[in-house]
Amino acid sequence: MELRQLPLLLLLISNIHSGHTEERPKPNVTIKPDHHVFRGDLVTLRCDIYDEGVTSWRYNWYKDGSTSVFSERQEHTFSSVTESDAGKYFCNGTETEGSRRSNISDEVKLTVSVPRAVLSVSPQKWLTEGDPVTLICEVNGSSTGWTFSWFTVTGPGIGNHYELLSDSSRGAGGKYTVSSADLNHSGVYVCRAERDKTAVYSNTQPLWVTGVSPPVSLIISPSRTQHFTSVSLSLSCEDQSNSDGWTVRRYTDSGRLEDCSSLRWGSQTGSTCTIRATVPSDTGVYWCQSESGETYQHVNITVHIGVILESPVHPVTEGDNLTLRCFYPYISPPKLRADFYKDGSLIQSQTTEMIIPTVSKSHEGFYYCKHPETGESPKSWISVRGSHSSGSHSDSQISVLHILSSALAACPYLIVTVVLIYKCCKMRGKTPE
């Protein structure tokens, strides 16, 4: 027997010696709103004693086997519960105008935890314009009574700033759905869960939307999404006028939103960001941002110590070829003969260069390469966008077919009309004056 249970046993023995236990009512203890609550919630313990012969009771509350009474009310309320209030509670009662006592109740356990909001995205965080997406905010271990607000992260650095979405209220139930994503939906999101006096913010969740014809290009040198450590990396935002009104920003895997100029080993000159010596913490999503706040050309860049995959920086156009290579920095030449995988499935083995001719939408997915001795590369998402030329050609074909079908449909009516006019004129010629 545990020592902490000894006071509870002594209290029970005391009750037995003061009379027959079977003649005494046994209290019933309830906890509202629940046995498992969160820090800051309002919690009420209630002790009910039912006995036909007694109309009024004085109540005694005990915690964790102690014989010390901490409350003498039928209902004991914690207006803002804390972790120190967690424990096992029980009660008994004494007749107000008499000497009768109740038995002690069964113990009930109150658990108090810190709420944690978890933000996720479905189906995925990388999207093409027009794709549907849903942000989902949930509180661990609880599903009722919470309302949710939605924010975007706007400020760089450790102390990120949150901006409330203008239509935040439509996601109050925990799901914020966009039926057709556009470039303006790219960003880093946060949700806030509230219930009674409790409010908690979630993790950050990025969402990246790729456009078909962005007004600016993010030029990366070397031109690939995965890079070795301790090398120089250049990122330039170039529009048609080569203007300097663009800033390179990034969102790292550690959840930080940063400008290039704030990086320890980075600097920005005009619209070009240069990282002098890459490190793994440089891994993240990089993009071009205008002076007015628009964001374009989001690229996921990975800095890795070992094997890397060389893949296109930007989405591949349908009908084009896709070329993938595998590199390892500690051999010369660094190109590896490796196995190539898509979404976890082997698609080509023991080759220095994998080429997929005539890419289609079905080739979208996560790619990586693997070598039996040097290891495997990180995964890179390769997206495929539709071809403008094929769409225009298809549209022109549809237009021609539409005209021909319309003309053919009108032919019978034209023939009938001509015949009727001819007959009418002929009858007029035969009519006497």
Side-chain angles (χ1 to χ4, degrees), residues 302-317:
T302 304
V303 178
H304 189 56
I305 295 174
V307 176
I308 66 168
L309 175 74
E310 183 183 73
S311 61
V313 170
H314 299 297
V316 185
T317 304

mmCIF file with all atom_site columns, all heavy atoms in Angstrom, residues 302-317:
data_model
loop_
_atom_site.group_PDB
_atom_site.id
_atom_site.type_symbol
_atom_site.label_atom_id
_atom_site.label_alt_id
_atom_site.label_comp_id
_atom_site.label_asym_id
_atom_site.label_entity_id
_atom_site.label_seq_id
_atom_site.pdbx_PDB_ins_code
_atom_site.Cartn_x
_atom_site.Cartn_y
_atom_site.Cartn_z
_atom_site.occupancy
_atom_site.B_iso_or_equiv
_atom_site.pdbx_formal_charge
_atom_site.auth_seq_id
_atom_site.auth_comp_id
_atom_site.auth_asym_id
_atom_site.auth_atom_id
_atom_site.pdbx_PDB_model_num
ATOM 1   N N   . THR A 1 302 ? 16.652 23.127 -50.590 1.00 0.00 ? 302 THR A N   1
ATOM 2   C CA  . THR A 1 302 ? 17.188 22.260 -49.544 1.00 0.00 ? 302 THR A CA  1
ATOM 3   C C   . THR A 1 302 ? 18.710 22.303 -49.576 1.00 0.00 ? 302 THR A C   1
ATOM 4   O O   . THR A 1 302 ? 19.316 22.169 -50.642 1.00 0.00 ? 302 THR A O   1
ATOM 5   C CB  . THR A 1 302 ? 16.724 20.806 -49.755 1.00 0.00 ? 302 THR A CB  1
ATOM 6   O OG1 . THR A 1 302 ? 15.300 20.762 -49.801 1.00 0.00 ? 302 THR A OG1 1
ATOM 7   C CG2 . THR A 1 302 ? 17.221 19.921 -48.630 1.00 0.00 ? 302 THR A CG2 1
ATOM 8   N N   . VAL A 1 303 ? 19.320 22.502 -48.416 1.00 0.00 ? 303 VAL A N   1
ATOM 9   C CA  . VAL A 1 303 ? 20.774 22.442 -48.286 1.00 0.00 ? 303 VAL A CA  1
ATOM 10  C C   . VAL A 1 303 ? 21.105 21.174 -47.502 1.00 0.00 ? 303 VAL A C   1
ATOM 11  O O   . VAL A 1 303 ? 20.643 21.000 -46.371 1.00 0.00 ? 303 VAL A O   1
ATOM 12  C CB  . VAL A 1 303 ? 21.337 23.689 -47.580 1.00 0.00 ? 303 VAL A CB  1
ATOM 13  C CG1 . VAL A 1 303 ? 22.847 23.566 -47.410 1.00 0.00 ? 303 VAL A CG1 1
ATOM 14  C CG2 . VAL A 1 303 ? 20.990 24.950 -48.372 1.00 0.00 ? 303 VAL A CG2 1
ATOM 15  N N   . HIS A 1 304 ? 21.898 20.296 -48.126 1.00 0.00 ? 304 HIS A N   1
ATOM 16  C CA  . HIS A 1 304 ? 22.117 18.963 -47.565 1.00 0.00 ? 304 HIS A CA  1
ATOM 17  C C   . HIS A 1 304 ? 23.608 18.628 -47.556 1.00 0.00 ? 304 HIS A C   1
ATOM 18  O O   . HIS A 1 304 ? 24.350 18.989 -48.472 1.00 0.00 ? 304 HIS A O   1
ATOM 19  C CB  . HIS A 1 304 ? 21.352 17.938 -48.417 1.00 0.00 ? 304 HIS A CB  1
ATOM 20  C CG  . HIS A 1 304 ? 21.313 16.561 -47.844 1.00 0.00 ? 304 HIS A CG  1
ATOM 21  N ND1 . HIS A 1 304 ? 20.837 16.290 -46.579 1.00 0.00 ? 304 HIS A ND1 1
ATOM 22  C CD2 . HIS A 1 304 ? 21.694 15.368 -48.362 1.00 0.00 ? 304 HIS A CD2 1
ATOM 23  C CE1 . HIS A 1 304 ? 20.912 14.996 -46.350 1.00 0.00 ? 304 HIS A CE1 1
ATOM 24  N NE2 . HIS A 1 304 ? 21.438 14.413 -47.406 1.00 0.00 ? 304 HIS A NE2 1
ATOM 25  N N   . ILE A 1 305 ? 24.038 17.906 -46.539 1.00 0.00 ? 305 ILE A N   1
ATOM 26  C CA  . ILE A 1 305 ? 25.457 17.558 -46.403 1.00 0.00 ? 305 ILE A CA  1
ATOM 27  C C   . ILE A 1 305 ? 25.851 16.453 -47.373 1.00 0.00 ? 305 ILE A C   1
ATOM 28  O O   . ILE A 1 305 ? 26.953 16.458 -47.916 1.00 0.00 ? 305 ILE A O   1
ATOM 29  C CB  . ILE A 1 305 ? 25.766 17.129 -44.947 1.00 0.00 ? 305 ILE A CB  1
ATOM 30  C CG1 . ILE A 1 305 ? 25.560 18.315 -44.005 1.00 0.00 ? 305 ILE A CG1 1
ATOM 31  C CG2 . ILE A 1 305 ? 27.177 16.591 -44.823 1.00 0.00 ? 305 ILE A CG2 1
ATOM 32  C CD1 . ILE A 1 305 ? 25.703 17.962 -42.539 1.00 0.00 ? 305 ILE A CD1 1
ATOM 33  N N   . GLY A 1 306 ? 24.978 15.492 -47.646 1.00 0.00 ? 306 GLY A N   1
ATOM 34  C CA  . GLY A 1 306 ? 25.337 14.329 -48.460 1.00 0.00 ? 306 GLY A CA  1
ATOM 35  C C   . GLY A 1 306 ? 24.846 14.401 -49.887 1.00 0.00 ? 306 GLY A C   1
ATOM 36  O O   . GLY A 1 306 ? 25.070 15.373 -50.610 1.00 0.00 ? 306 GLY A O   1
ATOM 37  N N   . VAL A 1 307 ? 24.154 13.332 -50.317 1.00 0.00 ? 307 VAL A N   1
ATOM 38  C CA  . VAL A 1 307 ? 23.676 13.194 -51.694 1.00 0.00 ? 307 VAL A CA  1
ATOM 39  C C   . VAL A 1 307 ? 22.567 14.204 -51.979 1.00 0.00 ? 307 VAL A C   1
ATOM 40  O O   . VAL A 1 307 ? 21.700 14.443 -51.134 1.00 0.00 ? 307 VAL A O   1
ATOM 41  C CB  . VAL A 1 307 ? 23.160 11.760 -51.932 1.00 0.00 ? 307 VAL A CB  1
ATOM 42  C CG1 . VAL A 1 307 ? 22.573 11.608 -53.332 1.00 0.00 ? 307 VAL A CG1 1
ATOM 43  C CG2 . VAL A 1 307 ? 24.276 10.750 -51.715 1.00 0.00 ? 307 VAL A CG2 1
ATOM 44  N N   . ILE A 1 308 ? 22.600 14.810 -53.176 1.00 0.00 ? 308 ILE A N   1
ATOM 45  C CA  . ILE A 1 308 ? 21.528 15.721 -53.580 1.00 0.00 ? 308 ILE A CA  1
ATOM 46  C C   . ILE A 1 308 ? 20.981 15.314 -54.940 1.00 0.00 ? 308 ILE A C   1
ATOM 47  O O   . ILE A 1 308 ? 21.658 14.649 -55.733 1.00 0.00 ? 308 ILE A O   1
ATOM 48  C CB  . ILE A 1 308 ? 21.983 17.201 -53.627 1.00 0.00 ? 308 ILE A CB  1
ATOM 49  C CG1 . ILE A 1 308 ? 23.018 17.403 -54.734 1.00 0.00 ? 308 ILE A CG1 1
ATOM 50  C CG2 . ILE A 1 308 ? 22.501 17.649 -52.272 1.00 0.00 ? 308 ILE A CG2 1
ATOM 51  C CD1 . ILE A 1 308 ? 23.295 18.876 -55.017 1.00 0.00 ? 308 ILE A CD1 1
ATOM 52  N N   . LEU A 1 309 ? 19.747 15.715 -55.194 1.00 0.00 ? 309 LEU A N   1
ATOM 53  C CA  . LEU A 1 309 ? 19.083 15.473 -56.476 1.00 0.00 ? 309 LEU A CA  1
ATOM 54  C C   . LEU A 1 309 ? 19.068 16.767 -57.264 1.00 0.00 ? 309 LEU A C   1
ATOM 55  O O   . LEU A 1 309 ? 18.677 17.822 -56.738 1.00 0.00 ? 309 LEU A O   1
ATOM 56  C CB  . LEU A 1 309 ? 17.645 14.990 -56.234 1.00 0.00 ? 309 LEU A CB  1
ATOM 57  C CG  . LEU A 1 309 ? 16.777 14.796 -57.481 1.00 0.00 ? 309 LEU A CG  1
ATOM 58  C CD1 . LEU A 1 309 ? 17.203 13.533 -58.229 1.00 0.00 ? 309 LEU A CD1 1
ATOM 59  C CD2 . LEU A 1 309 ? 15.301 14.701 -57.084 1.00 0.00 ? 309 LEU A CD2 1
ATOM 60  N N   . GLU A 1 310 ? 19.472 16.710 -58.530 1.00 0.00 ? 310 GLU A N   1
ATOM 61  C CA  . GLU A 1 310 ? 19.365 17.872 -59.401 1.00 0.00 ? 310 GLU A CA  1
ATOM 62  C C   . GLU A 1 310 ? 18.049 17.785 -60.152 1.00 0.00 ? 310 GLU A C   1
ATOM 63  O O   . GLU A 1 310 ? 17.817 16.845 -60.929 1.00 0.00 ? 310 GLU A O   1
ATOM 64  C CB  . GLU A 1 310 ? 20.528 17.922 -60.392 1.00 0.00 ? 310 GLU A CB  1
ATOM 65  C CG  . GLU A 1 310 ? 20.481 19.169 -61.270 1.00 0.00 ? 310 GLU A CG  1
ATOM 66  C CD  . GLU A 1 310 ? 21.583 19.203 -62.308 1.00 0.00 ? 310 GLU A CD  1
ATOM 67  O OE1 . GLU A 1 310 ? 21.496 18.434 -63.289 1.00 0.00 ? 310 GLU A OE1 1
ATOM 68  O OE2 . GLU A 1 310 ? 22.531 19.992 -62.122 1.00 0.00 ? 310 GLU A OE2 1
ATOM 69  N N   . SER A 1 311 ? 17.178 18.759 -59.913 1.00 0.00 ? 311 SER A N   1
ATOM 70  C CA  . SER A 1 311 ? 15.864 18.786 -60.549 1.00 0.00 ? 311 SER A CA  1
ATOM 71  C C   . SER A 1 311 ? 15.530 20.225 -60.916 1.00 0.00 ? 311 SER A C   1
ATOM 72  O O   . SER A 1 311 ? 16.143 21.164 -60.400 1.00 0.00 ? 311 SER A O   1
ATOM 73  C CB  . SER A 1 311 ? 14.802 18.218 -59.598 1.00 0.00 ? 311 SER A CB  1
ATOM 74  O OG  . SER A 1 311 ? 14.724 18.995 -58.418 1.00 0.00 ? 311 SER A OG  1
ATOM 75  N N   . PRO A 1 312 ? 14.546 20.454 -61.806 1.00 0.00 ? 312 PRO A N   1
ATOM 76  C CA  . PRO A 1 312 ? 14.209 21.812 -62.243 1.00 0.00 ? 312 PRO A CA  1
ATOM 77  C C   . PRO A 1 312 ? 13.768 22.699 -61.088 1.00 0.00 ? 312 PRO A C   1
ATOM 78  O O   . PRO A 1 312 ? 13.113 22.242 -60.149 1.00 0.00 ? 312 PRO A O   1
ATOM 79  C CB  . PRO A 1 312 ? 13.072 21.590 -63.245 1.00 0.00 ? 312 PRO A CB  1
ATOM 80  C CG  . PRO A 1 312 ? 13.193 20.171 -63.679 1.00 0.00 ? 312 PRO A CG  1
ATOM 81  C CD  . PRO A 1 312 ? 13.746 19.435 -62.507 1.00 0.00 ? 312 PRO A CD  1
ATOM 82  N N   . VAL A 1 313 ? 14.131 23.973 -61.179 1.00 0.00 ? 313 VAL A N   1
ATOM 83  C CA  . VAL A 1 313 ? 13.760 24.934 -60.140 1.00 0.00 ? 313 VAL A CA  1
ATOM 84  C C   . VAL A 1 313 ? 12.274 25.240 -60.187 1.00 0.00 ? 313 VAL A C   1
ATOM 85  O O   . VAL A 1 313 ? 11.610 25.321 -59.150 1.00 0.00 ? 313 VAL A O   1
ATOM 86  C CB  . VAL A 1 313 ? 14.589 26.226 -60.310 1.00 0.00 ? 313 VAL A CB  1
ATOM 87  C CG1 . VAL A 1 313 ? 14.051 27.320 -59.392 1.00 0.00 ? 313 VAL A CG1 1
ATOM 88  C CG2 . VAL A 1 313 ? 16.055 25.958 -60.008 1.00 0.00 ? 313 VAL A CG2 1
ATOM 89  N N   . HIS A 1 314 ? 11.728 25.398 -61.394 1.00 0.00 ? 314 HIS A N   1
ATOM 90  C CA  . HIS A 1 314 ? 10.331 25.808 -61.565 1.00 0.00 ? 314 HIS A CA  1
ATOM 91  C C   . HIS A 1 314 ? 9.499  24.672 -62.157 1.00 0.00 ? 314 HIS A C   1
ATOM 92  O O   . HIS A 1 314 ? 10.052 23.677 -62.654 1.00 0.00 ? 314 HIS A O   1
ATOM 93  C CB  . HIS A 1 314 ? 10.265 27.059 -62.441 1.00 0.00 ? 314 HIS A CB  1
ATOM 94  C CG  . HIS A 1 314 ? 10.994 28.228 -61.856 1.00 0.00 ? 314 HIS A CG  1
ATOM 95  N ND1 . HIS A 1 314 ? 10.618 28.804 -60.663 1.00 0.00 ? 314 HIS A ND1 1
ATOM 96  C CD2 . HIS A 1 314 ? 12.104 28.904 -62.272 1.00 0.00 ? 314 HIS A CD2 1
ATOM 97  C CE1 . HIS A 1 314 ? 11.449 29.799 -60.380 1.00 0.00 ? 314 HIS A CE1 1
ATOM 98  N NE2 . HIS A 1 314 ? 12.358 29.874 -61.337 1.00 0.00 ? 314 HIS A NE2 1
ATOM 99  N N   . PRO A 1 315 ? 8.166  24.769 -62.137 1.00 0.00 ? 315 PRO A N   1
ATOM 100 C CA  . PRO A 1 315 ? 7.311  23.714 -62.691 1.00 0.00 ? 315 PRO A CA  1
ATOM 101 C C   . PRO A 1 315 ? 7.663  23.380 -64.138 1.00 0.00 ? 315 PRO A C   1
ATOM 102 O O   . PRO A 1 315 ? 8.027  24.254 -64.925 1.00 0.00 ? 315 PRO A O   1
ATOM 103 C CB  . PRO A 1 315 ? 5.903  24.306 -62.575 1.00 0.00 ? 315 PRO A CB  1
ATOM 104 C CG  . PRO A 1 315 ? 5.991  25.275 -61.442 1.00 0.00 ? 315 PRO A CG  1
ATOM 105 C CD  . PRO A 1 315 ? 7.366  25.854 -61.523 1.00 0.00 ? 315 PRO A CD  1
ATOM 106 N N   . VAL A 1 316 ? 7.542  22.097 -64.467 1.00 0.00 ? 316 VAL A N   1
ATOM 107 C CA  . VAL A 1 316 ? 7.806  21.621 -65.829 1.00 0.00 ? 316 VAL A CA  1
ATOM 108 C C   . VAL A 1 316 ? 6.523  21.744 -66.639 1.00 0.00 ? 316 VAL A C   1
ATOM 109 O O   . VAL A 1 316 ? 5.426  21.461 -66.144 1.00 0.00 ? 316 VAL A O   1
ATOM 110 C CB  . VAL A 1 316 ? 8.284  20.156 -65.799 1.00 0.00 ? 316 VAL A CB  1
ATOM 111 C CG1 . VAL A 1 316 ? 8.682  19.690 -67.185 1.00 0.00 ? 316 VAL A CG1 1
ATOM 112 C CG2 . VAL A 1 316 ? 9.442  19.997 -64.831 1.00 0.00 ? 316 VAL A CG2 1
ATOM 113 N N   . THR A 1 317 ? 6.649  22.158 -67.892 1.00 0.00 ? 317 THR A N   1
ATOM 114 C CA  . THR A 1 317 ? 5.485  22.306 -68.764 1.00 0.00 ? 317 THR A CA  1
ATOM 115 C C   . THR A 1 317 ? 5.136  20.975 -69.407 1.00 0.00 ? 317 THR A C   1
ATOM 116 O O   . THR A 1 317 ? 6.026  20.219 -69.829 1.00 0.00 ? 317 THR A O   1
ATOM 117 C CB  . THR A 1 317 ? 5.758  23.355 -69.860 1.00 0.00 ? 317 THR A CB  1
ATOM 118 O OG1 . THR A 1 317 ? 6.127  24.584 -69.240 1.00 0.00 ? 317 THR A OG1 1
ATOM 119 C CG2 . THR A 1 317 ? 4.529  23.579 -70.727 1.00 0.00 ? 317 THR A CG2 1
#
